[in-house]
Amino acid sequence: MTSESTTTPDKTEDSTVESTEPESALETARRQLHQAASHLDIDQNIVERLKHPMKVHEVTVPIERDDGTVDVFTGYRAQHDSVRGPYKGGLRYHPEVTQAECVGLGMWMTWKCAVMDLPFGGAKGGVAVNPKELSSGEKERLTRRFAQEIRDVIGPNRDIPAPDMGTDPQTMAWLMDAYSMQEGETTPGVVTGKPPVVGGSEGREEAPGRSVAIITKRACEYYNSDLNGTTVAVQGYGSVGANAARLLDEWGATVIAISDVNGTMYDPEGIDTAAVPSHDEEPEAVTKYADDVISNDELFTLDVDVLIPAALGNVITEANADAIAADLVVEGANGPTTSSASAILADRDIPVIPDILANAGGVTVSYFEWLQDINRRSWSLERVNDELETEMQAAWEAVRTEFEQRDVTWRDAAYIVALSRIAKAHEARGLWP
Ligand code: GLU
C-alpha cells in the first residue's frame, strides 16, 4: 500500500510557546519554521507550502520470523521538499516511528541540507519496529522487503536514504543490494552510509560526531573559551556521542560525564573516552567502566561548560530546562530540545547550537559519498575530513553572521540561513503547473 497524505493536523499556526509538551517532532519543526519566517521577508505562500510534506508513503512490511511465523510492520517515507535537489534523509528502526514523526524529521532534513548548502531536499522514513527484538536474518528480510515497497519512490536522483536510529551501514548495504537486484544494475548512489567496500565513504560513520566536535570548538572560541580547560557532558554514547566526546577529548577538552540508558559515568578529573566502548563497540556498557555513576537526570544539571545531548529527541524539556547549569548546549541528537525548553534557555541566556548545524556532518559526508558513487571514485579519509571541516566552517560563518546581525538565537539564525536559501529556490522555480 502506498498512500500520499498532506493532511497532518496543523496545531502550530504561530510560534507562541505555551505548555505544549509532549511535543511531536512535527509540532516542533512547524513552530521553528514560523519562528524563522517571522524574521524574514518571504512570501507567505512559500511558508505555507513548507509546512506540508510533498508526499508521505506508508507501506506494509510483512516478514517471516525465524520460527516460521509472519509479523507485519508499518514503514514510512516522508518526502518533505525537493526544491534544491533530490530528497535526502535517514531511515529509522524504532518502535515509536510514526508518520508525523517522519514528516517532522523530514522537514529538519530540508533545513539541514540547506544550512549546509547541499543540493538536496529533505526526507525521513522508517519502520515501527524494535530492532533489538530482531535477529540479523529478520532485520535483513525486513530491510529487503521495505526496500522493495519503497523502491519506486527512492533512487539516486529521487530520494536517497541513509542510516538513522536503529539502522547502520549493514542495513544500507542490504537496501542497496535489494534496490540494485530489482533494477538490474548496481546502484550505490541510492543510499549513503554504506560500508566503504560497497561504495560507502571513509569517515561517514564518524561524521555526525565529528561535526558536533567541530561546531563545539567553534562555539567555544566564539565565547572566548579555549577547548583546553573546557568541561563537557555528553548524553548518549552511540555513534554521535562517542565520536564527539573522543574528538573533543583529543583536542584538549575535559569530558567529565558520558551516559547510556543505564546511567551516567561521572569523573570530574576527566574520562578517558577512548577506553570506554561506544554503543557500537559494546552496547550499553558505559556504567560497567565507571567508578562513579550518577543518574541520567543529574547529567543535565551538571555545572559544565558544554552539554551535548546526543541520544533521543525531547530530552531537554520545560521540566529540566531551568535546572541546566551548562554555559552552552550543542545539539548532537535531532530535536533534543522542545520549543518550551528552547524559550526557557533563551531567557536564561544559555546559547543552544541547533542540531541542523551541529550534527549536519552526517548528511554532508553522505553528500560526499553520493558524489563518490556517481563518479565511481573514492576519496581518502583525509580528503573527506578536510572537506567536511571546510563545509562546517562555511555553514558556521553563515549562521554566525545572521546571529550577530539579527540578534536572534543560534537556532533562529540557522533557520534563517536555511529558509532564505529554500525560499529563493522556490521563487526561482515557481509553482507548477
Ligand atoms: N540520519 C542522519 C541525519 O539525521 C543522516 C541523514 C543522511 O545522511 O542522509 O542527519
Side-chain angles (χ1 to χ4, degrees):
M1 175 184 74
T2 295
S3 72
E4 290 176 11
S5 152
T6 56
T7 53
T8 324
D10 181 5
K11 294 196 236 155
T12 51
E13 271 304 319
D14 61 47
S15 59
T16 317
V17 178
E18 286 156 14
S19 189
T20 52
E21 295 170 356
E23 182 181 61
S24 73
L26 179 56
E27 284 167 341
T28 312
R30 282 191 174 148
R31 270 180 210 287
Q32 291 166 347
L33 168 62
H34 274 280
Q35 173 86 9
S38 70
H39 295 285
L40 287 171
D41 182 23
I42 55 171
D43 184 348
Q44 254 328 104
N45 295 318
I46 291 174
V47 178
E48 194 55 35
R49 283 179 71 183
L50 290 171
K51 273 163 52 183
H52 303 279
M54 290 302 293
K55 290 175 188 168
V56 183
H57 308 278
E58 180 179 322
V59 297
T60 296
V61 190
I63 60 156
E64 188 176 326
R65 303 301 293 245
D66 292 342
D67 66 5
T69 59
V70 170
D71 268 332
V72 179
F73 299 97
T74 304
Y76 305 94
R77 185 69 178 167
Q79 298 173 323
H80 174 243
D81 183 82
S82 64
V83 75
R84 291 168 44 89
Y87 299 107
K88 184 84 192 82
L91 288 179
R92 197 169 259 216
Y93 290 174
H94 191 274
E96 276 150 39
V97 166
T98 60
Q99 173 172 315
E101 185 194 55
C102 292
V103 173
L105 293 166
M107 280 190 185
W108 278 327
M109 287 310 303
T110 305
W111 321 138
K112 199 183 284 192
C113 292
V115 92
M116 294 308 302
D117 213 2
L118 307 177
F120 288 140
K124 197 74 133 204
V127 179
V129 61
N130 186 350
K132 290 182 195 160
E133 288 168 6
L134 297 177
S135 69
S136 172
E138 289 169 340
K139 205 168 165 184
E140 177 172 354
R141 292 196 287 281
L142 180 89
T143 303
R144 289 184 181 281
R145 181 61 188 249
F146 184 43
Q148 173 60 24
E149 296 303 331
I150 59 170
R151 185 162 65 89
D152 286 346
V153 297
I154 61 173
N157 293 315
R158 186 167 286 185
D159 182 354
I160 307 131
D164 201 89
M165 273 165 57
T167 57
D168 57 17
Q170 178 60 70
T171 323
M172 296 304 117
W174 289 326
L175 214 155
M176 184 277 249
D177 185 67
Y179 182 90
S180 298
M181 295 313 287
Q182 291 288 359
E183 293 293 308
E185 54 190 45
T186 297
T187 315
V190 66
V191 286
T192 57
K194 303 175 293 296
V197 72
V198 285
S201 179
E202 297 297 338
R204 171 62 184 80
E205 262 197 283
E206 306 84 66
R210 177 170 285 271
S211 69
V212 170
I214 293 171
I215 292 298
T216 302
K217 187 164 181 283
R218 291 278 166 277
C220 286
E221 285 161 2
Y222 185 80
Y223 288 106
N224 291 324
S225 64
D226 193 80
L227 266 192
N228 280 300
T230 293
T231 53
V232 183
V234 182
Q235 183 241 358
Y237 213 56
S239 159
V240 183
N243 282 304
R246 286 173 182 171
L247 277 169
L248 288 168
D249 187 6
E250 203 180 301
W251 296 344
T254 308
V255 179
I256 66 165
I258 56 177
S259 71
D260 66 17
V261 283
N262 298 319
T264 299
M265 174 181 199
Y266 175 63
D267 183 348
E269 298 304 313
I271 294 166
D272 178 3
T273 54
V276 185
S278 71
H279 183 85
D280 300 338
E281 290 154 0
E282 187 185 344
E284 294 168 19
V286 166
T287 51
K288 280 210 309 208
Y289 293 78
D291 291 331
D292 249 334
V293 176
I294 59 171
S295 76
N296 282 341
D297 287 344
E298 275 173 281
L299 176 138
F300 287 101
T301 64
L302 289 175
D303 186 7
V304 281
D305 297 311
V306 187
L307 170 65
I308 303 180
L312 296 166
N314 284 358
V315 293
I316 303 181
T317 65
E318 58 189 352
N320 63 3
D322 275 318
I324 282 175
D327 296 325
L328 170 73
V329 176
V330 180
E331 294 185 333
N334 287 320
T337 317
T338 64
S339 306
S340 327
S342 289
I344 294 170
L345 293 174
D347 277 350
R348 295 185 56 213
D349 279 333
I350 299 177
V352 179
I353 312 292
D355 44 9
I356 60 166
L357 172 65
N359 73 26
V363 73
T364 303
V365 177
S366 277
Y367 169 57
F368 300 161
E369 179 172 332
W370 182 76
L371 290 176
Q372 293 170 67
D373 290 339
I374 285 172
N375 291 307
R376 296 287 197 267
R377 183 164 188 131
S378 57
W379 299 4
S380 67
L381 178 61
E382 198 189 4
R383 176 168 176 196
V384 169
N385 286 344
D386 281 355
E387 298 222 12
L388 175 61
E389 182 90 36
T390 307
E391 298 297 333
M392 295 312 303
Q393 179 61 23
W396 168 262
E397 286 304 325
V399 173
R400 185 188 56 77
T401 305
E402 295 296 341
F403 174 76
E404 286 176 354
Q405 284 178 0
R406 293 178 192 262
D407 194 21
V408 290
T409 62
W410 286 98
R411 189 183 315 281
D412 285 348
Y415 271 74
I416 287 165
V417 170
L419 196 52
S420 356
R421 289 176 178 160
I422 296 161
K424 278 187 195 132
H426 271 288
E427 264 162 38
R429 284 183 63 167
L431 187 59
W432 188 89

